[in-house]
Amino acid sequence: MNLIETLIGKLQVHPKRFVFTDGKDARVLQAARQIVTRKMGAPLLIGDRTSIKEMAAKLDINTKGIRIMEPERSSDIDQMREQLRAIPRFADLSDEEIRDKSIEPSVFASLLLKSNRADALISGATTKASNALRALFQIIGTQPGVKTASSLLIIDMEAKEVGIHGALFMGDCGVIPDPDAEQLADIAITTARLAHHLTNERPKVALLSFSTYGNPRHPSVAKIQAATELAREKARQVNLDADIDGDLQIDAALDRATAQLKKTEGSPVAGDANVLIFPDLNSGNIATKLIHLLSGANKYGQIVMGLNKPAVEISRGATAHDILGAAAIAGCQAIDHRLLFGMGNNAG
Ligand SMILES: CC(C)(COP(=O)(O)OP(=O)(O)OC[C@H]1O[C@@H](n2cnc3c(N)ncnc32)[C@H](O)[C@@H]1OP(=O)(O)O)[C@@H](O)C(=O)NCCC(=O)NCCS
């Protein structure tokens, strides 16, 4: 059974509340219908009720079991505004500014998540990634001990011998433009931890580069080699049982024959990687979209890592199935909230 079907099975036992910031988007409506039909929980769509109903009618989608929330007309809006004002960075805003900010879909949805009126948030279908991420960073914030949030994306290949039964876990393809070695090590650890949590398989983490065991005189190679050492140390500190290696080129990471040719004997990762860490956002974002466009593989994400609550920032090119899969991943993070997010901040 593939990864997403396994996760949907878990949600059918522990259904969750999913808030979507782009309620009237056709793909979001289709994913929401699936969540109800497959008994994964309750979808909550943010947006104008009339437009959402019109779109649903146009698509012949039954909205039974789908909740619609218009921020400005919501019975929770006063409490949401108080919560917003209670966040230090918004404390000095005027009443009018608070009123306007609180009804922005990304902000209102983040406030619902923060106050436990939703368990997982899905944004980005029609909004720029930066806007969706800013609201999450400013309202939900990062877990204790985590300075920088990042993201992971799962590519689910037809070729089941690649990665973990066809699933490759890739980070950070959506948030940090130019991570330093410390941030790359954090990305490697958070990505590997979730890969293990979702699959119960041993993470084999490759820190990617244009070189394989290259010359550290080049600053980018030196960064990857430093990040590899830091990631191994952090894995020991958090008792994460994983193999970590780098700098590795993508072919040496995924192809056994090439790995041999490139003298990576003894590497527990080369030729067998299932977690891929990209040196920067350009390479990560380009690679994931290229794989998707050329192979048609499903892609689930961006799963935002390091936040206090489960959230997804999907790309504007996502299909309804990609959105359902990403929601299932965030929903399963919510099931294991204490384990994945610690005890803190569950009280909103
Ligand atoms: C995420 C992003 C918008 C943050 O940019 P930025 O210029 O740092 O944004 P701001 O300075 O407005 O930061 C807003 C807040 O988020 C915080 N923040 C920014 N990046 C963060 C991160 N990675 N982790 C945690 N918090 C972060 C800032 O500290 C700031 O907090 P404050 O307002 O409480 O002081 C920017 O990194 C970005 O655009 N990333 C790429 C997104 C993208 O296009 N991805 C492609 C998707 S397909």
Side-chain angles (χ1 to χ4, degrees):
M1 188 172 0
N2 77 19
L3 175 65
I4 297 303
E5 287 307 315
T6 308
L7 300 181
I8 290 175
K10 277 180 88 173
L11 284 162
Q12 286 164 341
V13 180
H14 307 280
K16 291 295 172 191
R17 299 161 300 167
F18 302 86
V19 61
F20 291 87
T21 57
D22 310 85
K24 76 171 190 299
D25 182 86
R27 299 158 298 163
V28 167
L29 268 162
Q30 287 157 345
R33 182 72 247 151
Q34 282 286 307
I35 287 172
V36 176
T37 309
R38 307 199 62 182
K39 299 190 174 15
M40 296 160 62
L44 183 49
L45 305 187
I46 307 295
D48 172 67
R49 181 175 302 281
T50 313
S51 326
I52 294 175
K53 289 278 186 184
E54 278 169 5
M55 177 58 83
K58 204 168 110 198
L59 299 167
D60 192 21
I61 289 180
N62 170 353
T63 57
K64 189 164 177 302
I66 296 178
R67 192 165 162 217
I68 297 171
M69 263 182 131
E70 299 177 301
E72 61 278 20
R73 290 194 189 83
S74 145
S75 55
D76 296 320
I77 191 63
D78 292 339
Q79 283 174 324
M80 296 301 108
R81 285 173 176 154
E82 275 164 36
Q83 257 208 113
L84 187 61
R85 186 176 286 296
I87 300 170
R89 86 167 322 287
F90 299 114
D92 305 334
L93 293 188
S94 67
D95 288 353
E96 190 187 347
E97 287 167 326
I98 289 280
R99 238 193 333 274
D100 295 347
K101 192 133 196 85
S102 63
I103 58 173
E104 291 172 16
S106 298
V107 171
F108 186 75
S110 298
L111 291 167
L112 291 177
L113 185 67
K114 186 179 178 68
S115 59
N116 284 323
R117 289 173 171 82
D119 304 307
L121 181 152
I122 298 95
S123 63
T126 59
T127 33
K128 278 182 73 175
S130 48
N131 298 337
L133 292 168
R134 226 173 248 119
L136 286 169
F137 293 158
Q138 293 172 335
I139 294 169
I140 302 298
T142 52
Q143 291 168 30
V146 174
K147 283 201 286 318
T148 312
S150 62
S151 72
L152 89 84
L153 185 128
I154 303 173
I155 287 261
D156 200 7
M157 310 287 293
E158 285 298 315
K160 295 306 174 195
E161 67 283 359
V162 172
I164 299 174
H165 315 307
L168 284 170
F169 294 77
M170 304 179 163
D172 167 14
C173 313
V175 177
I176 309 172
D178 189 15
D180 59 26
E182 177 85 27
Q183 289 171 322
L184 277 176
D186 283 339
I187 293 166
I189 296 304
T190 49
T191 307
R193 282 183 81 182
L194 191 62
H196 174 66
H197 183 78
L198 293 176
T199 66
N200 214 16
E201 297 277 344
R202 184 179 181 79
K204 290 179 176 292
V205 184
L207 284 99
L208 301 174
S209 169
F210 61 76
S211 67
T212 294
Y213 304 160
N215 181 336
R217 269 207 302 278
H218 193 289
S220 165
V221 174
K223 177 174 91 172
I224 309 296
Q225 292 174 349
T228 303
E229 282 318 311
L230 281 170
R232 287 176 177 148
E233 181 48 39
K234 285 175 187 276
R236 276 190 289 275
Q237 285 164 6
V238 298
N239 297 322
L240 174 65
D241 208 3
D243 301 314
I244 300 173
D245 199 5
D247 49 311
L248 288 170
Q249 287 161 299
I250 188 66
D251 52 359
L254 292 178
D255 181 65
R256 291 209 177 112
T258 309
Q260 253 177 352
L261 285 172
K262 297 197 172 179
K263 310 212 169 349
T264 59
E265 292 77 21
S267 166
V269 173
D272 213 14
N274 51 36
V275 174
L276 302 177
I277 306 303
F278 293 85
D280 58 28
L281 186 57
N282 279 322
S283 57
N285 197 268
I286 292 166
T288 50
K289 291 180 192 303
L290 198 58
I291 295 167
H292 174 67
L293 289 169
L294 299 184
S295 76
N298 286 312
K299 59 179 174 51
Y300 307 113
Q302 312 285 354
I303 312 299
V304 186
M305 309 297 290
L307 288 179
N308 279 313
K309 298 269 183 175
V312 173
E313 194 285 313
I314 50 180
S315 86
R316 283 165 284 177
T319 64
H321 179 74
D322 293 341
I323 297 173
L324 180 72
I329 295 162
C332 284
Q333 289 180 296
I335 293 174
D336 303 317
H337 193 281
R338 286 178 195 285
L339 185 67
L340 292 172
F341 296 82
M343 304 295 280
N345 286 307
N346 200 15

